[in-house]
Amino acid sequence: MITAKDARTLFLTLNCSTIPESLLESELFGYVKGAFSGANSTGKTGLVQMAEGGTLFLDEIAELPYAMQAKLLELVQDKTFLPIGSTEKRRADIRIIAATNQNLETLVHHKQFRSDLYYRLNVFQIEVPSLKERLEDLPLLAYQFVQKFNEEYHQQKKTLA
């Protein structure tokens, strides 16, 4: 069970390119009992509802099918969503962070990404140069990974200075 404290720090992720288009809507918005043949008999809670009070990170947002973009727009704009098979919309109190390695402005220009969704998501951009352009970050990253794996594997390894 997620407590109120957990919800404030809850951070769920979905890589939009790894979920088949036919399953994406049920993963995001869930479904109600009996929504379709083969569905779980009790229904399914989607990531949007699971992230209530927290953050949903949508990686590779450019891979989201055009039809799903309209449903995501409704979530971003109105804070509502409709689980598959439901007749009642649900409210969602979540933050959405989206990332992609593609140029969304170009995709909007070529009508491959909805302009209204682009402008709703594009509150501010953070562009992170590739690691080969940030070689000064390598020692810091190496130190972080050594610390992480030392803790995970109960080791005492050190980085070279």
Side-chain angles (χ1 to χ4, degrees):
M1 176 161 190
I2 298 173
T3 66
K5 181 182 178 216
D6 295 332
R8 286 192 301 272
T9 59
L10 191 61
F11 188 89
L12 298 178
T13 65
L14 175 68
N15 185 322
C16 298
S17 67
T18 62
I19 307 292
E21 188 173 332
S22 59
L23 297 177
L24 197 52
E25 186 174 1
S26 66
E27 287 298 313
L28 272 174
F29 304 119
Y31 56 83
V32 296
K33 175 183 173 182
F36 51 88
S37 60
N40 186 319
S41 62
T42 60
K44 179 181 179 185
T45 302
L47 289 173
V48 169
Q49 191 172 346
M50 290 170 58
E52 181 68 23
T55 302
L56 178 59
F57 174 61
L58 300 174
D59 197 12
E60 299 298 342
I61 190 80
E63 302 297 327
L64 201 62
Y66 202 81
M68 273 302 296
Q69 292 175 29
K71 294 175 185 204
L72 182 60
L73 175 65
E74 180 179 20
L75 175 65
V76 172
Q77 187 170 285
D78 302 331
K79 299 286 190 185
T80 62
F81 67 98
L82 186 67
I84 298 172
S86 180
T87 57
E88 294 181 23
K89 290 186 177 183
R90 296 187 183 164
R91 294 208 50 78
D93 176 23
I94 64 171
R95 288 173 297 282
I96 295 177
I97 298 174
T100 184
N101 64 352
Q102 296 187 45
N103 186 324
L104 287 181
E105 289 176 349
T106 301
L107 294 177
V108 166
H109 179 74
H110 289 101
K111 307 272 189 240
Q112 296 174 314
F113 198 86
R114 292 180 61 107
S115 63
D116 46 4
L117 178 59
Y118 171 74
Y119 290 112
R120 291 282 182 184
L121 290 174
N122 192 23
V123 176
F124 65 92
Q125 290 183 11
I126 300 173
E127 292 191 31
V128 180
S130 68
L131 191 53
K132 69 181 179 184
E133 297 173 41
R134 304 177 288 124
L135 295 178
E136 67 277 5
D137 289 348
L138 285 174
L140 295 169
L141 288 168
Y143 178 79
Q144 285 294 109
F145 283 117
V146 168
Q147 295 305 311
K148 175 186 175 191
F149 292 120
N150 275 344
E151 187 175 311
E152 188 174 329
Y153 296 107
H154 309 290
Q155 297 289 312
Q156 301 281 328
K157 307 288 182 186
K158 296 184 181 187
T159 57
L160 299 175

